[in-house]
């Protein structure tokens, strides 16, 4: 169990496009299940949370940021390792900062526009992470060229 958790949280190694896509889907489903359980527990523990949704959001936002970071940051790091320089390290830092942006929380119109722009800009590294071939693909292609069957 401990070894499985260490592999789940490890940012070492490389991850190809297919593995990244599959891991993203599985981790998103796991995150949804985790947050459903957390929301249910908090709605029973926090007084008035069932009637006042903002109280529930107040308690779940820090947990959702931590859970999102825990579930998705390791695979983002592995995919960055596989791309080996296709995206600069600045994009990795940018994605890290985007984890902490308050999505869907109404603050002020100016802040909401700024957050929306920052999230739209984060689509570029997301698309590169999903679709650009990396080292794993190059090794597979080289292996296939060496052993034509």
């Amino acid at each position: 169990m401990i070894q499985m958790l260490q592999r789940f949280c490890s940012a070492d190694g490389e991850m190809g496009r297919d593995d990244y896509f599959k891991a993203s889907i599985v981790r998103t489903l796991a995150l949804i299940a985790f947050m459903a359980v957390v929301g249910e527990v908090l709605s029973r523990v926090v007084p008035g949370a069932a009637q006042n949704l903002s109280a529930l959001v107040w308690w779940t936002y820090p947990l959702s940021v931590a859970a999102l970071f825990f579930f998705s940051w390791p695979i983002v790091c592995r995919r960055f390792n596989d791309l080996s320089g296709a995206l600069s390290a600045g994009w990795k830092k940018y994605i890290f900062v985007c984890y902490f942006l308050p999505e869907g929380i109404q603050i002020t119109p100016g802040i909401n526009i700024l957050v929306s722009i920052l999230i739209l800009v984060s689509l570029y590294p997301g698309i590169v992470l999903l679709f650009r071939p990396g080292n794993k693909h190059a090794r597979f292609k080289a292996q296939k060229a060496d052993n034509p069957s």
Side-chain angles (χ1 to χ4, degrees), residues 74-118:
I75 62 172
V76 168
C77 290
R78 284 187 236 151
R79 183 69 181 127
F80 260 95
N81 293 342
D82 184 53
L83 291 175
S84 68
L87 283 174
S88 70
W91 284 112
K92 195 175 187 180
K93 294 171 188 164
Y94 184 81
I95 290 172
F96 179 78
V97 169
C98 283
Y99 281 128
F100 300 100
L101 292 177
E103 295 179 51
I105 297 175
Q106 296 296 324
I107 302 170
T108 61
I111 298 291
N112 287 341
I113 290 171
L114 179 65
V115 168
S116 299
I117 291 170
L118 291 173

Side-chain angles (χ1 to χ4, degrees), residues 23-77:
S24 295
I25 290 173
V26 168
R27 288 174 185 243
T28 300
L29 293 174
L31 178 64
I32 290 169
F34 174 77
M35 289 310 295
V37 169
V38 166
E40 182 63 29
V41 168
L42 284 177
S43 68
R44 295 180 189 274
V45 173
V46 176
Q51 293 79 22
N52 187 1
L53 187 60
S54 65
L56 189 60
V57 169
W58 175 259
W59 286 99
T60 58
Y61 181 71
L63 288 172
S64 66
V65 168
L68 180 66
F69 183 74
F70 173 77
F71 280 96
S72 65
W73 185 248
I75 62 172
V76 168
C77 290

